[in-house]
Amino acid sequence: MIGRDEELRSLRSLLTDAAAGQGGALLVHGTAGVGKSALLRTVGAEAADSGFRVLRTSGVETEQWLPFAALQLLLQPAADGIENLPDPQREALTDAFSATETEPQIFRVGLAVLELLADAADQQPLLLLLDDLQWFDSSSRDVLRFVSRRTRDLPILVIAAARIHSTDEFSLGIQDLHLEPLGRTAAAELLDAGAPGLPAPLRALVLERAAGNPLALVELPKAVQGMSAQVDDLPLTQRLEAAFAARTDSASRECRTFLLTLAAEPTAPLSRLLEVSSRLCGSAVSVDALQEAVDAGLVTLVGRTAEFRHPLMRSAIHTRATVADRLATHRALAAALTDTPELQLAHQAAATLGPDEELAARLEHFADASQARGKVAAAVPALRQAAELVQDARHRTGILVRAAELSTEINDRFTAQMLLDRADLSVLGPVEQARLMVVSDRAAFEPDEPHRRIQDMVTAAAGAMDAGATGIAEDLLWRAAARCFFQDGDAQVRAQAAAELDRWNPDPDAPHVLTVRAYTEPYRHGADVIARLRSIEPNRQDGRILHFLGSGAMVVGEISRATRYLSLAAASWRSQGRLGLLARSLAGSWPRVYLGQLDRAREESGEGIALAEETGERIVWLGVKATAGLVAALRGETEAAARLVRELRTHSLFPGMPFVTVMAQQIDGLLALFDGRATEAYDILARAFDPADPHYHSVSRWLLAPDLADAAVAAGTVERARGLLTELPELADRLPSEMMVVARAYTDAVLAPDDTAEERYAAALTALPAGWALARARLHLHHGRRLRRQRRNVDARHPLRLARDEFERAGAQPWAEMAGEQLRAAGESSGRRHPYESEQLSAQEMQIAVLASQGLSNREIGQRLFISHRTVGAHLYRIYPRLGITSRGKLAAALAALHEEPAG
């Protein structure tokens, strides 16, 4: 560990925190040979000495065919605890590790693993060491990412190592450490420690070629004298491979055969390796061959398992072998691995040169069977290999598109994009083109040239529909329509998408039809969509239908209905453990803001952010992040709101997403308004009504109309505001949603001249939808202010009291303080009735407290929120003193006190 003092200090600090119950996760990444594995070994030894239980696993390329392979290896020492888990979690792990059962949902397995490890960590702190993460099967990687994000309140530390250039696809979600090559001084010290007698010229040469790579500093001195000038020109990794391979030249034929067999299948039992090696040699290969490899420093024995000392040794030996020897080794392994069909097929494919239609067909059949059993993670590498073996370009591209589709199903966007990059788009038919566009939309949302992209998607959807692929066509058109909302498509592309749907003569009550029409032409179809939404009673268990209806209602501003549908959809996805879809439905936290449900909006947006980050739902992340910022602003959490907006504005997708740029502008405008900067607030909000401004959204801007009116009154720009709202009456007639009714009624009253103000306030309060509590309270506040300006203080007290009480109930601190100040000025004392929840509990703590007060057990709460029951217990331990209570039984009363109606 020469030259790694700073890294070790950081890791020891994490160990100390984990031992104290504050766990975490760290991804160590860097080039091959830079010392990642050595760092993990050192930390593992120190952790074991300090009382940790250490669990280890490593990724192996061939095991990418085996779902949960790396995870099963990690959990073997803790497997006894599986029997103590609740039935659903025990069954999830049993199914995951079974060769015959259907593969369970990733996040069900994740929760089971989390509970297993949390129970084990209750006896002894845990350190999980995950090496070569880049070779983990996707199922293991996803489960361990899930677990790693939930260790903060547990004595569990996860340290992973990966040979990658970017952490985006492998990040465990908490911290990452890029391991740099050693500096000149440390490199010289390491070289001198390992090769003290090296002549000065060779010493200088090794230092130069190693470039601070610790493995090179150890290995190159053993081979540098015999290396040719051509080898000198190779990249460092290839130089190291050459150095390793050269060390096998003097080995016996039996040892070389054993090493090549181990390199081709490093997970096979030792007896199987010796058996295959003997078959290849034509004579018995004994453990003497293994001992020879150990003595040469190439292999180490861990229990009864042979392992290369470094992955580069494995790749070096495999690359150094002749093509004939490599193919023979893979054929022999395929013949010996009849009990593991996945590995057998992998070796048969590796033993094949050039096209092999028969083997490709078998790989596709294996993928079909795997998919039918829910083992999608095993189907993807089989299809990827099959594509290499077919000669027909169209067939090959079709296989790649299917593999990419399955990759997006298991949320492996990196692999999906890699597969799409290999596809030959010129040979695709209309159905394949549509499938490709659906996959690419899932894998990597491209924000550039939105109008052209929408047009291409609509055209491809039309081709698929004409070819009879109805499901694919509907999916793609829905995605094109969604872009019309997210990216605020212009009138031409909106009309094109709507016209294509009309061409299909669809059922006007079908949920996806309503959603497409709401997304594309809300002012044309709005009244009809709203009427149909109000007449539909969908199956409360069908998350897909509920989400369609909820998102359609949300984008046209039918807020109460959107909240209801998306809440039901979220409950459906939650019960199924489908976290990506749950994150999407938690976008329903946005409409809750306008209903005055700030607590729920805060809880759901907070959970939505975490799940969107975990599942890679980048567009969802934008929406729930903006909602969290809006809630923070309305609760008076100025610094948090400003920070959230900064995070929004720096996201790579932000500039091309008007649905969220308009929300960011709303937050900035409210912060300025609450801070007394009325003119600035008006200017900020007015930009959202300028079609040439990047913060403009042709529909969502109307949610800002009440804020614009407030700023206009405060800034003295009422006439200018009226000018920006000239379209509102006509559009509200065409789209009679709650959003438009509120925008029209509110601005009509607040911006009214004095001589008609009273009747307009009365009309507005009558017109407001029943659930829009904040809008009603804001109207009362404006009405009271106007009455005070007319020196009617006694009359002003009633509307001001109504406003204050509602704002305090909702936790809208800035408005509550405004109403309180106005009440005091009108001659009535208005003390603050209770502390706001923001001073009491975090969003997740509030969720836990509410669920616990309803009688749910810690395990039930954990299953609902996808966290460990021990994390729930840790939260409750902190919650009680903050609420001034000492037990679970007093939670309901304490929470009721937070929401009690203030005295008049």
Side-chain angles (χ1 to χ4, degrees):
M1 288 291 99
I2 292 171
R4 297 302 187 198
D5 293 344
E6 184 177 344
E7 290 86 352
L8 283 172
R9 274 195 297 272
S10 298
L11 293 174
R12 287 165 183 154
S13 176
L14 292 175
L15 283 174
T16 300
D17 291 343
Q22 300 170 1
L26 178 73
L27 174 65
V28 181
H29 55 99
T31 57
V34 78
K36 303 181 296 295
S37 298
L39 193 62
L40 264 60
R41 284 195 298 271
T42 300
V43 172
E46 291 189 10
D49 289 343
S50 63
F52 276 76
R53 185 180 187 186
V54 182
L55 304 179
R56 294 178 171 86
T57 190
S58 296
V60 178
E61 288 169 284
T62 53
E63 288 197 340
Q64 291 177 309
W65 288 64
L66 304 175
F68 302 111
L71 181 67
Q72 189 167 14
L73 178 62
L74 176 76
L75 297 182
Q76 276 179 354
D80 290 347
I82 294 176
E83 291 304 314
N84 299 323
L85 292 173
D87 289 346
Q89 294 165 13
R90 184 174 65 253
E91 291 168 5
L93 281 182
T94 301
D95 289 349
F97 298 151
S98 167
T100 57
E101 297 296 330
T102 297
E103 186 174 318
Q105 283 282 342
I106 285 291
F107 298 113
R108 290 188 184 278
V109 179
L111 188 58
V113 172
L114 180 64
E115 292 288 45
L116 177 68
L117 295 175
D119 287 345
D122 193 48
Q123 307 299 318
Q124 182 181 12
L126 290 183
L127 172 63
L128 311 185
L129 297 177
L130 320 176
D131 206 356
D132 286 323
L133 189 65
Q134 74 277 358
W135 289 330
F136 275 38
D137 61 277
S138 62
S139 301
S140 294
R141 192 176 66 239
D142 288 345
V143 166
L144 291 167
R145 182 188 288 121
F146 176 94
V147 170
S148 297
R149 288 175 174 270
R150 290 161 175 79
T151 58
R152 186 179 59 186
D153 295 298
L154 301 169
I156 300 175
L157 176 61
V158 182
I159 303 178
R163 189 195 307 176
I164 56 175
H165 300 294
S166 168
T167 63
D168 290 348
E169 292 303 319
F170 298 98
S171 174
L172 298 176
I174 299 181
Q175 301 179 57
D176 69 275
L177 170 65
H178 180 59
L179 202 59
E180 300 280 0
L182 295 176
R184 180 80 180 182
T185 302
E189 184 181 350
L190 178 58
L191 177 60
D192 293 341
L198 206 61
L202 285 181
R203 179 179 181 275
L205 186 62
V206 169
L207 284 172
E208 177 190 347
R209 293 178 180 174
N213 184 285
L215 186 64
L217 291 162
V218 171
E219 295 295 334
L220 288 182
K222 304 172 186 176
V224 69
Q225 290 172 304
M227 291 172 68
S228 67
Q230 290 178 330
V231 173
D232 296 348
D233 294 334
L234 293 174
L236 176 61
T237 297
Q238 294 181 31
R239 274 191 237 138
L240 279 168
E241 288 183 341
F244 286 139
R247 287 164 59 186
T248 67
D249 290 346
S250 60
S252 67
R253 177 169 176 262
E254 290 79 9
C255 180
R256 290 198 305 273
T257 302
F258 173 80
L259 287 170
L260 179 55
T261 306
L262 177 63
E265 185 44 69
T267 65
L270 182 56
S271 59
R272 185 73 56 87
L273 294 171
L274 294 173
E275 172 195 332
V276 171
S277 300
S278 299
R279 187 178 304 168
L280 288 165
C281 275
S283 59
V285 176
S286 69
V287 292
D288 292 339
L290 168 61
Q291 188 61 52
E292 186 180 346
V294 171
D295 293 341
L298 292 167
V299 169
T300 185
L301 202 59
V302 180
R304 296 187 176 183
T305 303
E307 293 183 359
F308 286 103
R309 286 190 174 273
H310 193 276
L312 284 179
M313 294 182 182
R314 175 175 169 260
S315 59
I317 288 168
H318 195 264
T319 304
R320 175 93 164 191
T322 65
V323 172
D325 284 346
R326 284 204 302 270
L327 296 179
T329 300
H330 286 297
R331 282 195 295 269
L333 283 164
L337 293 171
T338 54
D339 55 339
T340 313
E342 297 96 331
L343 290 179
Q344 183 180 46
L345 271 173
H347 286 291
Q348 287 174 338
T352 303
L353 284 180
D356 188 328
E357 300 290 342
E358 187 273 335
L359 180 56
R362 287 173 52 209
L363 287 162
E364 287 191 80
H365 178 72
F366 171 81
D368 292 340
S370 297
Q371 186 178 1
R373 291 163 52 201
K375 292 183 175 289
V376 176
V380 172
L383 291 171
R384 191 171 62 212
Q385 193 68 57
E388 298 289 335
L389 299 175
V390 297
Q391 202 159 13
D392 180 71
R394 182 167 181 175
H395 185 196
R396 179 170 59 253
T397 294
I399 294 173
L400 289 171
V401 171
R402 181 185 170 198
E405 286 174 328
L406 295 180
S407 294
T408 61
E409 280 190 27
I410 58 176
N411 212 40
D412 190 350
R413 291 176 170 83
F414 180 81
T415 297
Q417 192 59 54
M418 178 193 70
L419 291 164
L420 293 177
D421 290 343
R422 291 167 52 192
D424 183 356
L425 309 187
S426 65
V427 300
L428 292 177
V431 175
E432 289 83 2
Q433 286 179 356
R435 288 171 57 204
L436 180 67
M437 295 201 81
V438 169
V439 177
S440 63
D441 193 63
R442 290 177 182 167
F445 189 97
E446 299 294 341
D448 300 332
E449 298 186 73
H451 298 143
R452 181 195 58 77
R453 177 74 174 182
I454 293 169
Q455 288 176 333
D456 290 346
M457 294 171 80
V458 173
T459 301
M465 179 59 76
D466 291 342
T470 303
I472 294 169
E474 289 177 348
D475 189 3
L476 187 54
L477 187 63
W478 169 74
R479 291 175 180 277
R483 284 175 178 257
C484 287
F485 171 71
F486 293 131
Q487 299 183 283
D488 200 22
D490 62 21
Q492 181 179 346
V493 296
R494 285 174 176 272
Q496 182 181 351
E500 181 57 32
L501 179 67
D502 291 341
R503 188 176 75 88
W504 299 351
N505 192 27
D507 175 2
D509 288 319
H512 76 276
V513 172
L514 292 175
T515 303
V516 169
R517 286 180 169 156
Y519 277 144
T520 54
E521 294 191 320
Y523 297 121
R524 175 187 169 198
H525 294 292
D528 181 64
V529 167
I530 291 167
R532 293 180 188 277
L533 283 171
R534 290 173 178 172
S535 66
I536 290 177
E537 282 299 329
N539 180 350
R540 296 167 66 93
Q541 306 304 316
D542 192 332
R544 180 173 175 272
I545 298 301
L546 290 164
H547 185 82
F548 274 132
L549 294 173
S551 59
M554 183 169 65
V555 301
V556 296
E558 194 68 358
I559 296 299
S560 300
R561 198 162 300 275
T563 301
R564 173 171 170 254
Y565 286 145
L566 290 174
S567 180
L568 291 170
S572 175
W573 301 136
R574 192 183 296 280
S575 69
Q576 298 175 41
R578 304 184 69 174
L579 300 197
L581 294 172
L582 174 57
R584 295 185 192 183
S585 291
L586 288 173
S589 58
W590 179 31
R592 288 194 189 280
V593 173
Y594 299 97
L595 301 180
Q597 300 171 9
L598 298 188
D599 290 345
R600 286 287 300 277
R602 182 173 68 121
E603 295 161 16
E604 292 180 358
S605 61
E607 185 180 13
I609 290 169
L611 294 180
E613 290 173 349
E614 187 162 11
T615 57
E617 294 282 354
R618 296 197 297 163
I619 297 174
V620 172
W621 184 92
L622 288 170
V624 289
K625 195 76 162 183
T627 300
L630 182 57
V631 170
L634 296 181
R635 290 165 56 88
E637 298 162 355
T638 303
E639 291 183 6
R643 172 180 54 78
L644 290 163
V645 171
R646 285 196 301 271
E647 292 171 1
L648 265 182
R649 291 187 180 277
T650 57
H651 193 282
S652 60
L653 289 183
F654 179 85
M657 292 290 176
F659 92 100
V660 77
T661 64
V662 69
M663 295 174 71
Q665 203 72 352
Q666 182 179 23
I667 298 166
D668 285 341
L670 286 170
L671 289 176
L673 187 60
F674 293 154
D675 193 41
R677 296 174 278 124
T679 300
E680 181 182 349
Y682 178 83
D683 291 341
I684 290 170
L685 294 164
R687 289 177 59 189
F689 291 82
D690 178 0
D693 192 278
H695 300 91
Y696 173 87
H697 191 284
S698 59
V699 181
S700 296
R701 60 182 159 143
W702 298 117
L703 287 169
L704 280 63
D707 308 321
L708 180 78
D710 287 2
V713 171
T717 54
V718 169
E719 286 302 322
R720 288 166 57 189
R722 288 175 182 155
L724 292 179
L725 301 174
T726 53
E727 292 179 283
L728 179 54
E730 178 196 351
L731 295 180
D733 286 340
R734 294 165 58 188
L735 176 61
S737 67
E738 292 178 351
M739 170 185 69
M740 301 300 284
V741 168
V742 170
R744 185 178 189 177
Y746 189 97
T747 57
D748 191 51
V750 171
L751 301 179
D754 287 340
D755 58 344
T756 62
E758 283 298 320
E759 61 188 74
R760 295 196 185 187
Y761 274 115
L765 288 167
T766 300
L768 287 185
W772 285 64
L774 281 185
R776 188 173 301 276
R778 292 169 69 180
L779 274 178
H780 285 312
L781 174 59
H782 273 286
H783 189 199
R785 278 175 165 162
R786 188 184 291 266
L787 291 172
R788 277 204 59 247
R789 286 197 299 270
Q790 296 171 350
R791 301 184 183 279
R792 297 166 60 186
N793 284 341
V794 174
D795 293 337
R797 291 173 191 167
H798 178 65
L800 290 172
R801 194 180 305 120
L802 292 173
R804 178 206 61 191
D805 292 354
E806 179 56 40
F807 291 140
E808 288 198 344
R809 185 205 63 77
Q813 181 178 357
W815 281 323
E817 291 178 350
M818 291 178 194
E821 290 170 4
Q822 290 291 319
L823 260 178
R824 287 190 292 274
E828 180 175 307
S829 63
S830 176
R832 192 167 168 189
R833 291 330 194 244
H834 58 75
Y836 294 97
E837 285 88 335
S838 61
E839 299 172 6
Q840 297 282 335
L841 304 178
S842 71
Q844 188 177 70
E845 286 170 341
M846 179 59 76
Q847 281 182 299
I848 290 170
V850 169
L851 293 172
S853 73
Q854 295 170 353
L856 275 68
S857 69
N858 286 6
R859 281 198 185 274
E860 289 169 334
I861 296 170
Q863 290 169 12
R864 181 178 175 83
L865 300 182
F866 302 99
I867 56 178
S868 166
H869 72 286
R870 297 188 184 277
T871 297
V872 174
H875 277 301
L876 286 172
Y877 182 78
R878 292 193 292 266
I879 287 168
Y880 295 156
R882 293 184 195 172
L883 296 180
I885 60 176
T886 56
S887 67
R888 196 186 201 98
K890 298 178 180 178
L891 268 174
L895 293 175
L898 286 178
H899 294 87
E900 68 183 359
E901 288 294 329

